Amino acid sequence: MKPRLVVIGNGMAGMRTVEELLKLAPDLYQITVFGAEPHGNYNRILLSPVLAGEMSLDEIMINTEQWYEDNAITLLKGKEVVKIDRLKRVVTAADGTEAPYDRLLLATGSDPIILPVSGVDLPGVVPFRNILDVEAILGATEPGNKAVVIGGGLLGLEAAHGLMKQGMDVTVIHLMETLMERQLDEVAGDMLCASLEKRGLTVIRSAETEAIVGDGRVRAVHLKDGTELAADIVVMAVGIRPNIGLAEAAGLHCQRGIVTGDTMQTYDGRIYAVGECAEHRGRTYGLVAPFFEQAKVCANQLAELGHAAYDGSMTSSKLKVTGIDLFSAGKVVAGDDEETLVIKDAGRGVYKKLILKDNRLRGAVLYGDALDAPWYFQ
């Protein structure tokens, strides 16, 4: 009888691991996948174009249900796993479905951070993480309606762009002075802000949400400085938190994420973790490129080849807003012992900054012209 591989999480990281495993050892395991959502595996990065009406749900599917059948994979969709019994090596879903395992892969992703303010549970207040969220947002979009997006990071700005494309009147509120402060410095953040405002987006920076108000449905957002913003829908995009509850309850070692070694194994040798839920050498990642690198290593280990190791990722970001050319990788602000090279052409709206140390590139921020981004990233 084949050993049983159970995968908890039907997202991009878990399924890429399975795809890589099928290339290396197609017949090694009997594979069962639990997915909390009622779909096959889709490209979460492309939720913004779906929200903007530029793509359909079918177009962002990576693995259709037919793919699971063709590869003899049992897909248990719409089933959320609530317990891992490490002694008996069995996982149990909320509806009582059980699956025994010889190897277990945790790809539980992350949960959206919801601000601890009153009114967050009002109808019309939604996160922006999955297809259900996008459907809820689209259900409330009517041209001329007012939307408030809380969070001026990558995800928040993509959500705001999508809502604008649907004809909504959109305001973004951001806690920091710099938009996308993890990827941009002050200069690039200001240029991005000006560019978005030119397109009709209202941006309020250094703004803290005090409460969300409404009666039966969301009506407005109150800021700490007393400003009230009318809202027919509020999109919460303030960040993500690795989903580690299941692993913690099973007694696996967790810090910010589920702690793994360079083989993507957890402290239990039969259990692996990849994607947003995994923490490797003190770091968690929220971008796809590192997950695909982790998936390759994890598949190599599961295939019993055992010669791949993950040593962390250099990450880069691009903003999926039509017509805005922006790229960021590595460090954004130079340290005392690093050099900075800057080119700025205000007329063309171009800004490029490179951070160097010992003749090695440590970081790059490109705004307005990111054609050579792949070269810098390499």
Side-chain angles (χ1 to χ4, degrees):
M1 193 176 141
K2 288 182 185 178
R4 295 157 301 194
L5 170 66
V6 171
V7 183
I8 302 177
N10 186 32
M12 294 173 78
M15 285 309 97
R16 175 57 79 98
T17 308
V18 171
E19 285 174 13
E20 296 285 351
L21 176 61
L22 291 173
K23 285 183 210 165
L24 298 172
D27 299 317
L28 183 57
Y29 292 98
Q30 179 186 322
I31 303 173
T32 302
V33 177
F34 283 87
E37 292 185 67
H39 314 278
N41 169 33
Y42 59 89
N43 188 335
R44 203 179 286 276
I45 305 170
L46 295 176
L47 286 175
S48 310
V50 173
L51 182 59
E54 297 163 350
M55 294 182 91
S56 71
L57 178 51
D58 286 346
E59 287 177 288
I60 70 166
M61 276 294 165
I62 301 173
N63 305 111
T64 60
E65 291 183 33
Q66 188 59 50
W67 177 86
Y68 293 86
E69 268 184 49
D70 294 346
N71 288 285
I73 295 168
T74 305
L75 172 63
L76 302 171
K77 52 182 187 163
K79 290 187 191 286
E80 186 188 354
V81 175
V82 292
K83 187 181 178 209
I84 301 167
D85 186 328
R86 286 166 53 204
L87 281 176
K88 292 182 179 164
R89 298 208 298 271
V90 171
V91 304
T92 309
D95 66 355
T97 305
E98 288 191 342
Y101 68 85
D102 297 293
R103 291 278 180 273
L104 178 62
L105 174 60
L106 300 178
T108 49
S110 62
D111 295 319
I113 292 172
I114 302 299
L115 290 179
V117 296
S118 61
V120 289
D121 45 6
L122 280 167
V125 180
V126 280
F128 178 46
R129 287 294 295 156
N130 58 34
I131 284 172
L132 210 61
D133 298 335
V134 171
E135 286 170 350
I137 295 168
L138 287 173
T141 53
E142 266 180 51
N145 268 9
K146 293 188 185 306
V148 172
V149 176
I150 302 176
L154 205 56
L155 209 58
L157 295 180
E158 288 179 1
H161 170 69
L163 288 162
M164 273 175 69
K165 295 277 287 202
Q166 297 287 352
M168 302 273 284
D169 178 357
V170 186
T171 301
V172 171
I173 54 183
H174 192 50
L175 185 60
M176 315 298 275
E177 180 56 31
T178 304
L179 290 177
M180 287 179 61
E181 73 283 349
R182 296 175 104 169
Q183 291 91 7
L184 302 181
D185 62 5
E186 217 172 296
V187 180
D190 286 347
M191 290 173 83
L192 174 61
C193 189
S195 179
L196 292 169
E197 285 177 330
K198 207 180 278 180
R199 289 156 180 261
L201 190 69
T202 304
V203 182
I204 305 174
R205 297 181 282 179
S206 300
E208 199 171 340
T209 307
E210 186 167 64
I212 297 169
V213 293
D215 16 54
R217 187 174 171 83
V218 67
R219 181 179 54 76
V221 175
H222 282 195
L223 302 184
K224 280 251 165 89
D225 66 0
T227 309
E228 177 171 299
L229 303 167
D232 298 293
I233 185 162
V234 174
V235 177
M236 192 80 71
V238 292
I240 56 172
R241 186 180 284 127
N243 185 349
I244 59 173
L246 190 63
E248 275 189 315
L252 287 172
H253 180 45
C254 298
Q255 288 174 355
R256 180 173 155 74
I258 303 164
V259 177
T260 73
D262 293 354
T263 57
M264 304 317 296
Q265 267 170 318
T266 66
Y267 275 64
D268 179 330
R270 291 178 179 273
I271 303 178
Y272 297 75
V274 291
E276 285 173 335
C277 67
E279 177 179 331
H280 172 264
R281 296 191 191 177
R283 282 192 73 181
T284 55
Y285 296 91
L287 297 162
V288 168
F291 306 160
F292 288 177
E293 290 170 15
Q294 292 174 1
K296 266 196 144 80
V297 171
C298 189
N300 180 284
Q301 296 294 332
L302 285 167
E304 297 174 358
L305 300 173
H307 57 68
Y310 178 64
D311 59 2
S313 297
M314 173 65 79
T315 56
S316 67
S317 308
K318 277 180 90 86
L319 182 68
K320 284 175 290 302
V321 170
T322 326
I324 289 184
D325 222 4
L326 178 161
F327 171 85
S328 155
K331 293 189 73 171
V332 176
V333 179
D336 294 340
D337 56 347
E338 293 168 325
E339 290 177 81
T340 306
L341 297 179
V342 174
I343 302 169
K344 190 175 180 188
D345 182 339
R348 282 172 58 224
V350 171
Y351 172 74
K352 297 186 177 192
K353 173 167 122 175
L354 303 180
I355 295 174
L356 302 160
K357 182 181 178 183
D358 304 330
N359 287 332
R360 294 292 300 268
L361 191 59
R362 299 287 176 177
V365 177
L366 311 178
Y367 187 87
D369 170 18
L371 274 175
D372 40 8
W375 184 81
Y376 283 120
F377 190 60
Q378 284 303 322

